[in-house]
Amino acid sequence: MQAKGHRAEEDDVEDKVLKAVEVAVASGADYADARLVLLRQDTLGVRNGAISTLELHEEEGLGVRVLKDGAWGYAAGPRLDGGSIARIAREAVEIARSSSLVMNRAVTLASEPLHQDRWTTPFVIDPFTVPLDEKLSLLYELDSILRSREEIRVAVSQMHYSRRTTFFASSEGSVIHQEILHSGCGIEATAVGEGDVQRRTYPMSHRGQAMSGGYEVILAQQLKENAPRVRDEAASLLTAKQCPSELMDVIIGPGQLCLQIHESVGHPNELDRVLGWEAAYAGTSFNTPEHLGTFQYGSEVVNLVADNTLPGGMATAGYDDEGVAAQRWYVVKQGVFQDYFTARETAPLIDAGRSRGCCRAESWYAIPITRIPNLSLLPGEGTLDELIADTGTGVMMDNNKSWSIDQRRLNFQFGCEIGWEIKGGKLGAMLKNCTYQGITPQFWRSCDAVCGDSEWKLMGLSNCGKGQPGQRSWMTHGCAPARFRQVQIGVSA
Amino acid sequence: MVQGKGSVMNDAVALLTREEAERAAAEAFRHANGTPAELLIEWQASGSTRFSNNAITQNVSSRTESVTVRLVDGKRQGKAETTTLSPSAIARAVERAKRVVGHGHDDEDTLPLVAPPQEHRKVDAFSTRTAETGPDQRARIVQRLVDRCRSEGLTGSGLVTMRSHVVSYANSTGLTGYHTWTEASASLTAAAGDGVEGWAEMLNVDVERIDTDWLMEEAVSTALSGRNPGQIPTGTYHVVLAPAAVSELMLFWTWLGSGAKAYQEDRSYVSGKLGQKLFSSLLTVSDDAYHPMAPGLPFDFEGMPRQRVLLVDKGVPCAVVHDRITARRAGVQSTGHSLPQPNTSGPMALNVVVEGTDKPLDELVKDVDQGLLVKRFHYGNVLEPKKLSLTGMTRSGLFRIEGGEVVGPVKNMRFTDDLVSVFSTLEDVGRAEPTGKALFGGGFVVPPMRVREFSFTSGTEF
């Protein structure tokens, strides 16, 4: 009976989405799609022995996107009664008419096979079924471990998980139902002393690790086992040596390399940005279309693959938010630039026959835009110990602390939570306030080694911002520690 | 709902009324069954027209209703959110919040809900004209901006946005707060090729006060004069910072240094240093939700009245803002700067006003023999919070100053510097104006500044 009731509910929701498309077309839309999103998301956090975040969030709403005379319109609202749905659909068409007042060209969409499908994230343990007490007890226990040294003034332990159910329908005939489950967690310890403030996080900064999957993702992070190390490293950083300021060989760990990939390969290759559509906000890209297939983006050991079918990836789904099936492709192969991240509107503008399926929205209230897919640096060979030994003298840095890059994605500067000297082929003294700076293609061309499979990790980001109005998105960057030769480190005023 | 008239587009101005908000609160309190409860509603109707390459590329309208229920049972609290005001959604949210209360641990920082009376000042920040501006009017604004760019051989991009907001606070002790405001904004990036661009942005409560002539002149003239930039060495420069550049720096100053939580945890640059002269005497900063150029919320997210707080007086940091938790620890009164509770960030200034003079920016340039004019910063970030150490890029115009005159463009550079040092070499300030950089819907009012020592640490290719 329960299953039958659930199915009836799904049928009802599907009817609403189809109704929205029908009204939009009847109102004059040449093309229409509608997304109805149901989101359930819990965020639990303990800070210094008290609950800092305990939010059980639910949302629902509908967004309708239409093309009328080659111009876009988008309208969205939270109310899902028949009258509201029709109003949203008609409003989208009226907005498209306004858009056509200032246009250069009529939008044409790359063709995509019709899909009538259902896709669900594979998972082992549904996080919503794990007792709240059990989850909070874990966070309190972590908090207690982190605060067991007097230097630690702020301890935070948190977890978050969400189930996003999307019903999509288009006037072309696609009808797609997806249920995407994400889970994530992290801990951080902030030490204060010696006139300084230092922070360590685990498994990574930016809200910790996040993956598609269930509560097993959280259990797999081994937070309790790592909490003492995180606490002790934060305290030790207060008295650690300052990062030197010079040109050095640098090994970058996955906790930082993921953001290097994100900012200097991810964003520059969003085709909407390349075409100038983000020029007014985050900027454009140095990597213009004449580079396709020829530009030396990195050295020969640099292989970067986009893959929205990647198990565990945050961007992994059956389809994007305009009904294009998930794909895998090379962005950089043996150092040479191969392809962009595209949507149905942008793919034809570089004569691509099909969208790469990168068009996603934060939720129902936001129009889908081109987003970074799961994007990974493929593993090379060897272990981290072997790479350190081979390096002889240099610095190793890990876990992102700060990030900044210019509006064409060339000059970047990153700060890392922690670093270590490499001397005599071994890790030496701990370093604090580690930074490095470079220019994107030169930097990737200086990469001469990437560790192998055994060191390769998925690093999930859940807070990538883009667009106006701003939208958040999520994706994963797989990587292993990699070495970059003669990098400017230790930038300070 | 107060219905608009006529077509479907006019429906966008049907604001959530005080009565509707109170009905929703009553529904929540009924389900709470006597457990002290608060209901926070953030309602927004938004229309945004985005353009690039001299054409509209994105045109959206959305209405959102963020509804947050918080239950406070002694030293325990629970919170749940939903995005629709339907009675069933509110009932479900209350039930979820009850589950949380039942599982939480006692927390000394969980305080009883604020009781009336609290005096919330009236802040007049709503324009019906802005609320009623639809996509056709937005398109006409865009048309003017791109026509000017085309006529100059430039590529225009930007955003025209109209928003109507309602924030409603109510708790079961009988305290209520209801505030409406509108935001009209227009921005223009005029690109001249090879990464050269000019930028301007204007914000106002009232769409009629968006001066598109000024916007076009500022963005276009900067782009045209920025062509063929030269390269200069990195180093420490005498600089004039335009208001947009100052605004970016003040965003980080506010985030890292205005609130009591970081201060009490010794994480702030000002921890233990209140009352010491750290900056130039020319720096005076306050948080003022009642400033006519950037009006803010008259109450905070606990329902406390927002107070004007003097944060830096002639170079001396003299206060931080408080919520009730930090105020209790410090033995003072809340200044009305709570973010939604519970909150990891603590209280924060949202309407920062840096005191200016009547001098236009050109006056500041006149007193620079060799230096740089920085129009704007891009993608700033924090390196060391305790030192207010930041990095970021210049953008939308970096110009060489010689003999008190702007003489030509130079390629963008990255700055890396400590704000305490930067503001200690502040030499002059100009006329303050509202800027768009602020968190949680706040607004800044900042002047241009002349700073004697500002460090640039690397360059880029454009």
mmCIF file of all heavy atoms in Angstrom, chain A residues 331-370:
data_model
loop_
_atom_site.group_PDB
_atom_site.id
_atom_site.type_symbol
_atom_site.label_atom_id
_atom_site.label_comp_id
_atom_site.label_asym_id
_atom_site.label_seq_id
_atom_site.Cartn_x
_atom_site.Cartn_y
_atom_site.Cartn_z
ATOM 1 N N VAL A 331 39.227 16.536 -21.037
ATOM 2 C CA VAL A 331 39.347 17.992 -21.140
ATOM 3 C C VAL A 331 40.783 18.345 -21.544
ATOM 4 O O VAL A 331 41.016 19.193 -22.409
ATOM 5 C CB VAL A 331 38.966 18.659 -19.797
ATOM 6 C CG1 VAL A 331 39.154 20.174 -19.863
ATOM 7 C CG2 VAL A 331 37.528 18.310 -19.442
ATOM 8 N N VAL A 332 41.722 17.650 -20.923
ATOM 9 C CA VAL A 332 43.136 17.793 -21.274
ATOM 10 C C VAL A 332 43.718 16.387 -21.392
ATOM 11 O O VAL A 332 43.564 15.572 -20.476
ATOM 12 C CB VAL A 332 43.917 18.602 -20.207
ATOM 13 C CG1 VAL A 332 45.412 18.617 -20.519
ATOM 14 C CG2 VAL A 332 43.378 20.024 -20.096
ATOM 15 N N LYS A 333 44.349 16.101 -22.531
ATOM 16 C CA LYS A 333 44.937 14.768 -22.722
ATOM 17 C C LYS A 333 46.418 14.922 -23.045
ATOM 18 O O LYS A 333 46.766 15.628 -23.998
ATOM 19 C CB LYS A 333 44.213 14.041 -23.864
ATOM 20 C CG LYS A 333 44.584 12.579 -23.983
ATOM 21 C CD LYS A 333 43.677 11.895 -24.995
ATOM 22 C CE LYS A 333 43.892 10.387 -24.965
ATOM 23 N NZ LYS A 333 43.019 9.713 -25.924
ATOM 24 N N GLN A 334 47.236 14.302 -22.239
ATOM 25 C CA GLN A 334 48.695 14.436 -22.364
ATOM 26 C C GLN A 334 49.087 15.909 -22.513
ATOM 27 O O GLN A 334 49.911 16.275 -23.347
ATOM 28 C CB GLN A 334 49.201 13.604 -23.537
ATOM 29 C CG GLN A 334 49.022 12.111 -23.251
ATOM 30 C CD GLN A 334 49.523 11.240 -24.388
ATOM 31 O OE1 GLN A 334 49.264 11.521 -25.566
ATOM 32 N NE2 GLN A 334 50.224 10.181 -24.040
ATOM 33 N N GLY A 335 48.430 16.716 -21.745
ATOM 34 C CA GLY A 335 48.763 18.137 -21.687
ATOM 35 C C GLY A 335 48.050 19.012 -22.700
ATOM 36 O O GLY A 335 48.092 20.237 -22.591
ATOM 37 N N VAL A 336 47.383 18.409 -23.682
ATOM 38 C CA VAL A 336 46.773 19.212 -24.743
ATOM 39 C C VAL A 336 45.270 19.376 -24.489
ATOM 40 O O VAL A 336 44.560 18.394 -24.204
ATOM 41 C CB VAL A 336 47.005 18.552 -26.122
ATOM 42 C CG1 VAL A 336 46.325 19.376 -27.233
ATOM 43 C CG2 VAL A 336 48.496 18.426 -26.392
ATOM 44 N N PHE A 337 44.797 20.616 -24.643
ATOM 45 C CA PHE A 337 43.384 20.913 -24.397
ATOM 46 C C PHE A 337 42.496 20.226 -25.427
ATOM 47 O O PHE A 337 42.724 20.334 -26.639
ATOM 48 C CB PHE A 337 43.170 22.429 -24.431
ATOM 49 C CG PHE A 337 41.729 22.835 -24.320
ATOM 50 C CD1 PHE A 337 40.973 22.472 -23.219
ATOM 51 C CD2 PHE A 337 41.121 23.567 -25.328
ATOM 52 C CE1 PHE A 337 39.636 22.831 -23.118
ATOM 53 C CE2 PHE A 337 39.786 23.931 -25.237
ATOM 54 C CZ PHE A 337 39.037 23.560 -24.128
ATOM 55 N N GLN A 338 41.420 19.551 -24.924
ATOM 56 C CA GLN A 338 40.565 18.766 -25.812
ATOM 57 C C GLN A 338 39.141 19.310 -25.959
ATOM 58 O O GLN A 338 38.599 19.347 -27.049
ATOM 59 C CB GLN A 338 40.450 17.319 -25.277
ATOM 60 C CG GLN A 338 41.775 16.609 -25.124
ATOM 61 C CD GLN A 338 42.455 16.347 -26.453
ATOM 62 O OE1 GLN A 338 41.817 15.922 -27.410
ATOM 63 N NE2 GLN A 338 43.754 16.616 -26.529
ATOM 64 N N ASP A 339 38.509 19.694 -24.833
ATOM 65 C CA ASP A 339 37.092 20.051 -24.949
ATOM 66 C C ASP A 339 36.618 20.842 -23.728
ATOM 67 O O ASP A 339 37.221 20.792 -22.664
ATOM 68 C CB ASP A 339 36.236 18.793 -25.108
ATOM 69 C CG ASP A 339 34.914 19.075 -25.812
ATOM 70 O OD1 ASP A 339 34.632 20.252 -26.100
ATOM 71 O OD2 ASP A 339 34.165 18.126 -26.065
ATOM 72 N N TYR A 340 35.481 21.526 -23.930
ATOM 73 C CA TYR A 340 34.871 22.367 -22.899
ATOM 74 C C TYR A 340 33.743 21.634 -22.166
ATOM 75 O O TYR A 340 33.369 20.512 -22.511
ATOM 76 C CB TYR A 340 34.260 23.611 -23.553
ATOM 77 C CG TYR A 340 35.254 24.588 -24.115
ATOM 78 C CD1 TYR A 340 35.382 24.766 -25.496
ATOM 79 C CD2 TYR A 340 36.041 25.356 -23.272
ATOM 80 C CE1 TYR A 340 36.274 25.695 -26.012
ATOM 81 C CE2 TYR A 340 36.931 26.289 -23.788
ATOM 82 C CZ TYR A 340 37.048 26.449 -25.149
ATOM 83 O OH TYR A 340 37.927 27.370 -25.643
ATOM 84 N N PHE A 341 33.154 22.364 -21.205
ATOM 85 C CA PHE A 341 31.917 21.949 -20.539
ATOM 86 C C PHE A 341 30.790 22.734 -21.206
ATOM 87 O O PHE A 341 30.811 23.968 -21.207
ATOM 88 C CB PHE A 341 31.947 22.281 -19.044
ATOM 89 C CG PHE A 341 33.257 21.961 -18.375
ATOM 90 C CD1 PHE A 341 33.844 22.856 -17.494
ATOM 91 C CD2 PHE A 341 33.916 20.758 -18.637
ATOM 92 C CE1 PHE A 341 35.055 22.577 -16.885
ATOM 93 C CE2 PHE A 341 35.134 20.477 -18.033
ATOM 94 C CZ PHE A 341 35.708 21.388 -17.156
ATOM 95 N N THR A 342 29.827 22.043 -21.742
ATOM 96 C CA THR A 342 28.823 22.728 -22.571
ATOM 97 C C THR A 342 27.395 22.432 -22.120
ATOM 98 O O THR A 342 27.129 21.482 -21.376
ATOM 99 C CB THR A 342 28.970 22.313 -24.043
ATOM 100 O OG1 THR A 342 28.831 20.890 -24.127
ATOM 101 C CG2 THR A 342 30.317 22.713 -24.613
ATOM 102 N N ALA A 343 26.491 23.247 -22.650
ATOM 103 C CA ALA A 343 25.053 23.073 -22.465
ATOM 104 C C ALA A 343 24.423 22.995 -23.859
ATOM 105 O O ALA A 343 25.104 23.172 -24.872
ATOM 106 C CB ALA A 343 24.488 24.253 -21.687
ATOM 107 N N ARG A 344 23.128 22.777 -23.908
ATOM 108 C CA ARG A 344 22.470 22.630 -25.224
ATOM 109 C C ARG A 344 22.545 23.930 -26.026
ATOM 110 O O ARG A 344 22.576 23.900 -27.253
ATOM 111 C CB ARG A 344 21.004 22.207 -25.044
ATOM 112 C CG ARG A 344 20.848 20.801 -24.512
ATOM 113 C CD ARG A 344 19.393 20.354 -24.537
ATOM 114 N NE ARG A 344 18.926 20.162 -25.905
ATOM 115 C CZ ARG A 344 17.654 19.913 -26.234
ATOM 116 N NH1 ARG A 344 16.733 19.839 -25.265
ATOM 117 N NH2 ARG A 344 17.309 19.743 -27.483
ATOM 118 N N GLU A 345 22.570 25.063 -25.331
ATOM 119 C CA GLU A 345 22.639 26.334 -26.058
ATOM 120 C C GLU A 345 24.050 26.622 -26.562
ATOM 121 O O GLU A 345 24.222 27.167 -27.660
ATOM 122 C CB GLU A 345 22.187 27.484 -25.145
ATOM 123 C CG GLU A 345 22.224 28.835 -25.847
ATOM 124 C CD GLU A 345 21.826 30.002 -24.951
ATOM 125 O OE1 GLU A 345 21.569 29.779 -23.750
ATOM 126 O OE2 GLU A 345 21.779 31.133 -25.451
ATOM 127 N N THR A 346 25.066 26.270 -25.753
ATOM 128 C CA THR A 346 26.430 26.673 -26.129
ATOM 129 C C THR A 346 27.106 25.676 -27.066
ATOM 130 O O THR A 346 27.968 26.081 -27.865
ATOM 131 C CB THR A 346 27.306 26.849 -24.866
ATOM 132 O OG1 THR A 346 27.251 25.645 -24.087
ATOM 133 C CG2 THR A 346 26.838 28.020 -24.043
ATOM 134 N N ALA A 347 26.750 24.400 -27.014
ATOM 135 C CA ALA A 347 27.441 23.405 -27.844
ATOM 136 C C ALA A 347 27.442 23.771 -29.333
ATOM 137 O O ALA A 347 28.498 23.699 -29.987
ATOM 138 C CB ALA A 347 26.819 22.022 -27.617
ATOM 139 N N PRO A 348 26.298 24.219 -29.892
ATOM 140 C CA PRO A 348 26.323 24.555 -31.330
ATOM 141 C C PRO A 348 27.256 25.721 -31.660
ATOM 142 O O PRO A 348 27.697 25.846 -32.799
ATOM 143 C CB PRO A 348 24.865 24.935 -31.630
ATOM 144 C CG PRO A 348 24.065 24.312 -30.546
ATOM 145 C CD PRO A 348 24.938 24.327 -29.346
ATOM 146 N N LEU A 349 27.563 26.546 -30.676
ATOM 147 C CA LEU A 349 28.384 27.727 -30.942
ATOM 148 C C LEU A 349 29.859 27.370 -31.169
ATOM 149 O O LEU A 349 30.650 28.210 -31.607
ATOM 150 C CB LEU A 349 28.239 28.738 -29.794
ATOM 151 C CG LEU A 349 26.793 29.211 -29.570
ATOM 152 C CD1 LEU A 349 26.702 30.126 -28.362
ATOM 153 C CD2 LEU A 349 26.247 29.925 -30.805
ATOM 154 N N ILE A 350 30.244 26.131 -30.829
ATOM 155 C CA ILE A 350 31.592 25.657 -31.207
ATOM 156 C C ILE A 350 31.458 24.441 -32.139
ATOM 157 O O ILE A 350 32.352 23.604 -32.220
ATOM 158 C CB ILE A 350 32.450 25.297 -29.973
ATOM 159 C CG1 ILE A 350 31.728 24.304 -29.048
ATOM 160 C CG2 ILE A 350 32.858 26.550 -29.211
ATOM 161 C CD1 ILE A 350 32.632 23.652 -28.018
ATOM 162 N N ASP A 351 30.307 24.376 -32.797
ATOM 163 C CA ASP A 351 30.037 23.309 -33.776
ATOM 164 C C ASP A 351 30.079 21.910 -33.166
ATOM 165 O O ASP A 351 30.418 20.944 -33.855
ATOM 166 C CB ASP A 351 31.023 23.398 -34.958
ATOM 167 C CG ASP A 351 30.863 24.710 -35.710
ATOM 168 O OD1 ASP A 351 29.711 25.201 -35.804
ATOM 169 O OD2 ASP A 351 31.872 25.256 -36.176
ATOM 170 N N ALA A 352 29.759 21.826 -31.878
ATOM 171 C CA ALA A 352 29.654 20.498 -31.258
ATOM 172 C C ALA A 352 28.242 19.966 -31.507
ATOM 173 O O ALA A 352 27.264 20.708 -31.408
ATOM 174 C CB ALA A 352 29.925 20.602 -29.762
ATOM 175 N N GLY A 353 28.137 18.703 -31.813
ATOM 176 C CA GLY A 353 26.844 18.140 -32.169
ATOM 177 C C GLY A 353 25.932 17.929 -30.983
ATOM 178 O O GLY A 353 24.704 17.908 -31.115
ATOM 179 N N ARG A 354 26.548 17.773 -29.804
ATOM 180 C CA ARG A 354 25.742 17.444 -28.626
ATOM 181 C C ARG A 354 26.295 18.149 -27.395
ATOM 182 O O ARG A 354 27.515 18.317 -27.264
ATOM 183 C CB ARG A 354 25.788 15.923 -28.414
ATOM 184 C CG ARG A 354 24.849 15.416 -27.348
ATOM 185 C CD ARG A 354 25.056 13.934 -27.106
ATOM 186 N NE ARG A 354 24.097 13.426 -26.127
ATOM 187 C CZ ARG A 354 24.229 12.290 -25.471
ATOM 188 N NH1 ARG A 354 25.264 11.505 -25.709
ATOM 189 N NH2 ARG A 354 23.319 11.918 -24.600
ATOM 190 N N SER A 355 25.410 18.535 -26.494
ATOM 191 C CA SER A 355 25.843 19.099 -25.220
ATOM 192 C C SER A 355 26.571 18.029 -24.418
ATOM 193 O O SER A 355 26.249 16.848 -24.475
ATOM 194 C CB SER A 355 24.630 19.593 -24.427
ATOM 195 O OG SER A 355 24.978 19.782 -23.066
ATOM 196 N N ARG A 356 27.561 18.493 -23.613
ATOM 197 C CA ARG A 356 28.258 17.577 -22.694
ATOM 198 C C ARG A 356 27.447 17.332 -21.421
ATOM 199 O O ARG A 356 27.880 16.637 -20.536
ATOM 200 C CB ARG A 356 29.620 18.152 -22.338
ATOM 201 C CG ARG A 356 30.631 18.081 -23.478
ATOM 202 C CD ARG A 356 30.925 16.637 -23.860
ATOM 203 N NE ARG A 356 32.087 16.524 -24.735
ATOM 204 C CZ ARG A 356 32.499 15.368 -25.242
ATOM 205 N NH1 ARG A 356 31.846 14.246 -24.959
ATOM 206 N NH2 ARG A 356 33.552 15.315 -26.008
ATOM 207 N N GLY A 357 26.303 17.964 -21.296
ATOM 208 C CA GLY A 357 25.442 17.687 -20.139
ATOM 209 C C GLY A 357 25.912 18.370 -18.869
ATOM 210 O O GLY A 357 25.933 17.753 -17.804
ATOM 211 N N CYS A 358 26.272 19.659 -18.967
ATOM 212 C CA CYS A 358 26.822 20.378 -17.802
ATOM 213 C C CYS A 358 25.907 21.498 -17.332
ATOM 214 O O CYS A 358 26.367 22.450 -16.694
ATOM 215 C CB CYS A 358 28.184 20.956 -18.156
ATOM 216 S SG CYS A 358 29.374 19.717 -18.623
ATOM 217 N N CYS A 359 24.641 21.451 -17.676
ATOM 218 C CA CYS A 359 23.733 22.551 -17.371
ATOM 219 C C CYS A 359 22.946 22.200 -16.098
ATOM 220 O O CYS A 359 22.100 21.308 -16.117
ATOM 221 C CB CYS A 359 22.802 22.758 -18.563
ATOM 222 S SG CYS A 359 22.022 24.367 -18.583
ATOM 223 N N ARG A 360 23.251 22.895 -15.009
ATOM 224 C CA ARG A 360 22.604 22.537 -13.746
ATOM 225 C C ARG A 360 22.184 23.799 -12.995
ATOM 226 O O ARG A 360 22.749 24.872 -13.187
ATOM 227 C CB ARG A 360 23.566 21.716 -12.865
ATOM 228 C CG ARG A 360 24.174 20.515 -13.560
ATOM 229 C CD ARG A 360 24.668 19.478 -12.557
ATOM 230 N NE ARG A 360 25.609 20.003 -11.588
ATOM 231 C CZ ARG A 360 26.926 20.053 -11.755
ATOM 232 N NH1 ARG A 360 27.469 19.641 -12.886
ATOM 233 N NH2 ARG A 360 27.714 20.519 -10.804
ATOM 234 N N ALA A 361 21.205 23.632 -12.137
ATOM 235 C CA ALA A 361 20.700 24.743 -11.327
ATOM 236 C C ALA A 361 20.791 24.373 -9.858
ATOM 237 O O ALA A 361 20.721 23.194 -9.495
ATOM 238 C CB ALA A 361 19.250 25.048 -11.694
ATOM 239 N N GLU A 362 20.919 25.395 -9.003
ATOM 240 C CA GLU A 362 20.969 25.146 -7.555
ATOM 241 C C GLU A 362 19.685 24.487 -7.080
ATOM 242 O O GLU A 362 19.704 23.557 -6.297
ATOM 243 C CB GLU A 362 21.183 26.458 -6.812
ATOM 244 C CG GLU A 362 21.184 26.306 -5.308
ATOM 245 C CD GLU A 362 21.522 27.605 -4.593
ATOM 246 O OE1 GLU A 362 22.572 28.184 -4.900
ATOM 247 O OE2 GLU A 362 20.739 28.035 -3.732
ATOM 248 N N SER A 363 18.574 24.996 -7.564
ATOM 249 C CA SER A 363 17.291 24.405 -7.192
ATOM 250 C C SER A 363 16.233 24.925 -8.157
ATOM 251 O O SER A 363 16.543 25.485 -9.203
ATOM 252 C CB SER A 363 16.940 24.740 -5.737
ATOM 253 O OG SER A 363 15.848 23.936 -5.304
ATOM 254 N N TRP A 364 14.971 24.784 -7.814
ATOM 255 C CA TRP A 364 13.867 25.172 -8.685
ATOM 256 C C TRP A 364 13.836 26.660 -8.987
ATOM 257 O O TRP A 364 13.396 27.085 -10.044
ATOM 258 C CB TRP A 364 12.540 24.740 -8.057
ATOM 259 C CG TRP A 364 12.354 25.241 -6.647
ATOM 260 C CD1 TRP A 364 12.734 24.597 -5.513
ATOM 261 C CD2 TRP A 364 11.805 26.491 -6.228
ATOM 262 N NE1 TRP A 364 12.451 25.362 -4.402
ATOM 263 C CE2 TRP A 364 11.877 26.525 -4.816
ATOM 264 C CE3 TRP A 364 11.252 27.578 -6.904
ATOM 265 C CZ2 TRP A 364 11.417 27.603 -4.071
ATOM 266 C CZ3 TRP A 364 10.801 28.665 -6.161
ATOM 267 C CH2 TRP A 364 10.885 28.662 -4.758
ATOM 268 N N TYR A 365 14.329 27.479 -8.039
ATOM 269 C CA TYR A 365 14.216 28.932 -8.195
ATOM 270 C C TYR A 365 15.292 29.509 -9.114
ATOM 271 O O TYR A 365 15.263 30.704 -9.411
ATOM 272 C CB TYR A 365 14.287 29.632 -6.831
ATOM 273 C CG TYR A 365 15.356 29.082 -5.928
ATOM 274 C CD1 TYR A 365 16.681 29.413 -6.112
ATOM 275 C CD2 TYR A 365 15.029 28.192 -4.902
ATOM 276 C CE1 TYR A 365 17.655 28.890 -5.292
ATOM 277 C CE2 TYR A 365 16.000 27.664 -4.081
ATOM 278 C CZ TYR A 365 17.312 28.016 -4.274
ATOM 279 O OH TYR A 365 18.282 27.484 -3.471
ATOM 280 N N ALA A 366 16.240 28.687 -9.545
ATOM 281 C CA ALA A 366 17.368 29.190 -10.327
ATOM 282 C C ALA A 366 17.381 28.572 -11.718
ATOM 283 O O ALA A 366 17.106 27.384 -11.889
ATOM 284 C CB ALA A 366 18.677 28.877 -9.607
ATOM 285 N N ILE A 367 17.734 29.395 -12.694
ATOM 286 C CA ILE A 367 17.807 28.900 -14.073
ATOM 287 C C ILE A 367 19.065 28.042 -14.233
ATOM 288 O O ILE A 367 20.130 28.377 -13.694
ATOM 289 C CB ILE A 367 17.808 30.085 -15.069
ATOM 290 C CG1 ILE A 367 17.640 29.589 -16.498
ATOM 291 C CG2 ILE A 367 19.046 30.950 -14.933
ATOM 292 C CD1 ILE A 367 17.340 30.697 -17.500
ATOM 293 N N PRO A 368 18.978 26.921 -14.938
ATOM 294 C CA PRO A 368 20.183 26.103 -15.145
ATOM 295 C C PRO A 368 21.239 26.877 -15.944
ATOM 296 O O PRO A 368 20.910 27.554 -16.923
ATOM 297 C CB PRO A 368 19.670 24.901 -15.945
ATOM 298 C CG PRO A 368 18.200 24.850 -15.694
ATOM 299 C CD PRO A 368 17.782 26.280 -15.510
ATOM 300 N N ILE A 369 22.476 26.783 -15.501
ATOM 301 C CA ILE A 369 23.603 27.403 -16.208
ATOM 302 C C ILE A 369 24.725 26.369 -16.306
ATOM 303 O O ILE A 369 24.675 25.324 -15.646
ATOM 304 C CB ILE A 369 24.103 28.680 -15.495
ATOM 305 C CG1 ILE A 369 24.522 28.368 -14.052
ATOM 306 C CG2 ILE A 369 23.046 29.770 -15.531
ATOM 307 C CD1 ILE A 369 25.145 29.557 -13.327
ATOM 308 N N THR A 370 25.735 26.671 -17.085
ATOM 309 C CA THR A 370 26.838 25.720 -17.267
ATOM 310 C C THR A 370 27.648 25.614 -15.983
ATOM 311 O O THR A 370 28.099 26.630 -15.443
ATOM 312 C CB THR A 370 27.745 26.179 -18.420
ATOM 313 O OG1 THR A 370 26.944 26.299 -19.580
ATOM 314 C CG2 THR A 370 28.851 25.162 -18.666
#
